[in-house]
Amino acid sequence: MPDMSASVSLAMTHLTTLAKEVDEDKVTPGVLGFIVFAVMAIAVWGLMKSMNKHMGKVDFTEAPEDTDTAEEGTSGKGAPGKTSSAKG
């Protein structure tokens, strides 16, 4: 197996010759960094738009609780919501 550091060094020398001037003290994200940032920004914008649409459907007012049906549902006499009439 060939030495990896030699292969990396060789590849870097070929890539650096393609660049006109490489300043090793300056690091920039380049076009790929901009594309990744733009895609993430568009994804966040889409998620926020979706969240606002779903939050618009939420009703924040609480429905008043009917005390008669709540007592029947917890007493264990039949299914909740159904009234049973006792005969005789």
Side-chain angles (χ1 to χ4, degrees):
M1 183 163 106
D3 187 28
M4 283 300 277
S5 62
S7 299
V8 171
S9 173
L10 183 63
M12 287 304 293
T13 56
H14 286 298
L15 288 175
T16 55
T17 56
L18 295 176
K20 292 181 182 177
E21 181 179 319
V22 177
D23 185 10
E24 295 187 13
D25 295 333
K26 183 179 178 183
V27 177
T28 60
V31 177
L32 180 64
F34 175 75
I35 291 171
V36 169
F37 182 78
V39 167
M40 287 174 56
I42 291 170
V44 168
W45 177 77
L47 287 171
M48 293 293 288
K49 189 172 180 175
S50 175
M51 183 190 71
N52 283 332
K53 184 176 87 172
H54 286 288
M55 290 298 285
K57 294 179 183 179
V58 175
D59 185 22
F60 288 105
T61 57
E62 187 173 330
E65 185 176 304
D66 190 15
T67 57
D68 294 337
T69 57
E71 290 175 3
E72 287 178 9
T74 57
S75 65
K77 296 179 182 176
K82 292 184 178 180
T83 57
S84 59
S85 60
K87 292 186 179 180

